[in-house]
Amino acid sequence: MKKKFTFGLLTIFSFLLSACMSVNTYPDADKYLVGSKTYTETIQEITIDWISGNITLIEDNTIVGVEIVEETNVTKDEERVHTYVHDGILKVKYFASGYTKSSLNHIQKDIFVTYKPSLNKLTINQTSGNLVAESVNCDDFRLNMTSGNATIDTINTAGTTLNLTSGNLDFDHVIANRLDVSMTSGTLTMGMDTIGSVDIKMTSGNVYLTLPADGAKVTITKVSGTINANRTHTQAGNLYTFGVWDATIEISITSGSVYLD
């Protein structure tokens, strides 16, 4: 069911990369380690704060701890990845605490994070770039992205929260008790395997959903745009019922199209 979409985000990216970038000061800055690292501690929670560049998440049942690999062309310690582990929590920072750089033009900063699946919590705060993963298995998954693309084959969580200003979210298989999506503009493409409750809010863009095999109860509120329901269903006003509707889905969209398969 995967559909690929490309949006003209070059103007946004150009502004983000040319503007002055500053990292807020953060606690325990003197305890952070610089550069690629391997931690052997048991990690239960990961938070990644990344300004520009790509993030690749790799789940590995055989790993002990977490491996952080940064591919970059920067040489200053202040500009390399900074990481800190305490009490089973790994924090990943883009720059040193309080560091300011006049421009991110011509900088490459991509990270690969390999960890054992089934974390308690995984949080990604990404300004621009791409997030890629074959799978995300955890209790609580949170993605906050300003502009970019997130492509994940399988998401298996108790709760998933996705906040995107501009870009694309593309997920083939989603298993979640609760799913909350908030997007300003872009495209959401999602295959739902097993879903409890879903809340999708979008200002402008397109939503492509492959509903669970057993069906879903979908309520759609829109100002302008089209609704395309490609499976047998009944309709009563803005309520669309497919199958036995174990899943309940609320979609609120100002301008755009919704496709239900």
Side-chain angles (χ1 to χ4, degrees):
M1 53 75 68
K2 182 173 285 187
K3 304 176 180 69
K4 296 296 182 182
F5 302 89
T6 302
F7 279 78
L9 299 174
L10 293 180
T11 301
I12 297 174
F13 286 150
S14 177
F15 171 78
L16 289 170
L17 292 175
S18 61
C20 177
M21 287 295 174
S22 179
V23 173
N24 293 332
T25 57
Y26 44 81
D28 300 312
D30 59 322
K31 299 178 181 178
Y32 278 72
L33 303 180
V34 178
S36 300
K37 297 294 177 184
T38 298
Y39 293 95
T40 57
E41 295 92 332
T42 298
I43 304 298
Q44 299 173 332
E45 180 178 329
I46 299 176
T47 298
I48 302 173
D49 296 315
W50 212 246
I51 296 177
S52 176
N54 301 317
I55 301 172
T56 300
L57 304 176
I58 304 167
E59 294 189 332
D60 183 353
N61 278 303
T62 67
I63 195 172
V64 176
V66 175
E67 181 184 54
I68 305 290
V69 176
E70 181 182 40
E71 292 188 353
T72 182
N73 57 4
V74 303
T75 57
K76 294 181 179 179
D77 280 353
E78 296 86 350
E79 297 177 358
R80 296 165 67 193
V81 63
H82 282 58
T83 57
Y84 172 43
V85 170
H86 67 95
D87 302 322
I89 301 172
L90 169 64
K91 296 183 178 179
V92 181
K93 302 292 186 179
Y94 192 78
F95 281 155
S97 177
Y99 183 74
T100 299
K101 188 171 180 62
S102 59
S103 172
L104 295 183
N105 283 325
H106 311 300
I107 281 186
Q108 175 197 358
K109 276 179 70 73
D110 301 328
I111 57 167
F112 299 80
V113 183
T114 303
Y115 60 94
K116 191 179 293 293
S118 300
L119 297 170
N120 291 340
K121 186 175 182 180
L122 173 61
T123 302
I124 309 293
N125 302 308
Q126 188 171 13
T127 304
S128 68
N130 298 310
L131 171 66
V132 178
E134 287 189 5
S135 59
V136 171
N137 294 273
C138 62
D139 290 337
D140 186 355
F141 175 48
R142 303 184 185 191
L143 171 63
N144 303 297
M145 180 179 285
T146 303
S147 64
N149 304 287
T151 303
I152 302 173
D153 184 65
T154 300
I155 295 176
N156 188 346
T157 70
T160 292
T161 303
L162 309 168
N163 295 294
L164 180 69
T165 302
S166 177
N168 305 313
L169 301 176
D170 193 345
F171 312 126
D172 275 357
H173 304 280
V174 176
I175 302 166
N177 295 334
R178 175 189 53 79
L179 174 65
D180 295 309
V181 183
S182 177
M183 299 178 65
T184 302
S185 65
T187 297
L188 171 65
T189 305
M190 184 179 299
M192 298 177 169
D193 289 7
T194 305
I195 289 291
S197 63
V198 179
D199 186 10
I200 299 172
K201 293 182 173 65
M202 178 181 288
T203 303
S204 64
N206 297 309
V207 177
Y208 296 84
L209 301 181
T210 298
L211 302 176
D214 290 340
K217 187 177 182 179
V218 185
T219 302
I220 303 175
T221 303
K222 68 177 182 65
V223 176
S224 64
T226 61
I227 299 173
N228 303 273
N230 301 316
R231 281 173 57 177
T232 301
H233 66 280
T234 60
Q235 181 182 353
N238 60 354
L239 174 62
Y240 296 75
T241 302
F242 301 79
V244 297
W245 52 269
D246 285 339
T248 58
I249 302 171
E250 301 273 345
I251 301 174
S252 176
I253 185 168
T254 302
S255 176
S257 298
V258 178
Y259 300 83
L260 305 172
D261 293 303

